Amino acid sequence: MTDKQDTVLGTGSAMLTPSGYQVRPKVALSTCNQIVPPAASAIIGKCPYYYQPLHGEYLETVEKVSVSSAWETVKAFATSWDPWKDKEVARRLLHRREQLIAPESTDSDWSRHGNFMMRHIGCGHKPPSYYVSYGYYYCSNYGAKLYPKLSPRGKAWLKSARWFLQANMEDGLKQNMKGNQIQMNSRKPGNGSFQMTVPRYELELNDDTFKTFAFKTHPLAYLDAGLADLPDWNWDLVRIMGQPNIQEWGDARTWEQAVDCGMVVLPKMINNSDIDDPVGKALGRLLAK
């Protein structure tokens, strides 16, 4: 990394005290390192990239809720949760801090969430809630519940989409280390692009901004992974598009990524279909404009 920030966790001063004085002086420890090191290529495409489920509070809260309330629980938990309250896990991470903040770390406890924690100690910054909620929750949920139901081509798409989602996130974080502009184009022609302005080094620091950025990368990942290339009217598409929890559709950014994907997928499905559906074909031509 060419950029450097102070990583000193604290300072203290010594003074003469009586020999029987047993109270140790307290030193406030803090660090705020906004330089985001790149992830190791070996973890790109895997769910623990976002978050390693080490915290008992997370597991107890998220994994034991009912299906009907799961998403609301995860979302509320992710925005209010203070991972530092789990002292045992915090101690485990702190003892391996240097490994967890190293560029391309292959430490078994590394994740974007844990890496953020180790770069922001005592400075008041919280990891983006996206890492725990949309990132880890959906990645693991899709793997456990959606993947077994997909055809071989659908399974290949899911694996590829997971890789593109995380590769795009890495690209955006890398760009934010260099300047205030994030510009991303699809890796396949016609799958879209986006750009947004985020102050240098601050992409991870604003929870809502980070979520907006991540959502903008989703259509590129889904389409570059081959969503539009799945067989026409395949049940895979029905199962894939039906995955987001109904509560999530209250967020305009969810509709935006669905529309962006539909602009590419739907016209191709309709134009390649043998079904005589003039209304559908008209919609396809409209979206293709």
Side-chain angles (χ1 to χ4, degrees), residues 1-65:
M1 303 294 289
T2 57
D3 297 294
K4 293 183 179 180
Q5 288 193 11
D6 185 14
T7 57
V8 177
L9 294 183
T11 60
S13 59
M15 62 180 180
L16 296 176
T17 59
S19 59
Y21 191 74
Q22 299 296 320
V23 179
R24 294 182 179 181
K26 294 182 178 180
V27 177
L29 301 180
S30 65
T31 183
C32 185
N33 185 347
Q34 295 174 227
I35 304 299
V36 182
S41 58
I43 199 172
I44 303 296
K46 300 177 181 177
C47 295
Y49 163 86
Y50 300 110
Y51 167 73
Q52 287 279 3
L54 306 175
H55 299 78
E57 186 179 356
Y58 173 87
L59 296 173
E60 292 173 6
T61 303
V62 175
E63 294 188 354
K64 294 182 180 180
V65 297

Side-chain angles (χ1 to χ4, degrees), residues 58 66 100 111 138 163 166 185-186 236 270:
Y58 173 87
S66 66
L100 295 175
S111 69
Y138 269 122
W163 186 90
Q166 296 175 14
N185 299 312
S186 62
D236 285 341
I270 293 172

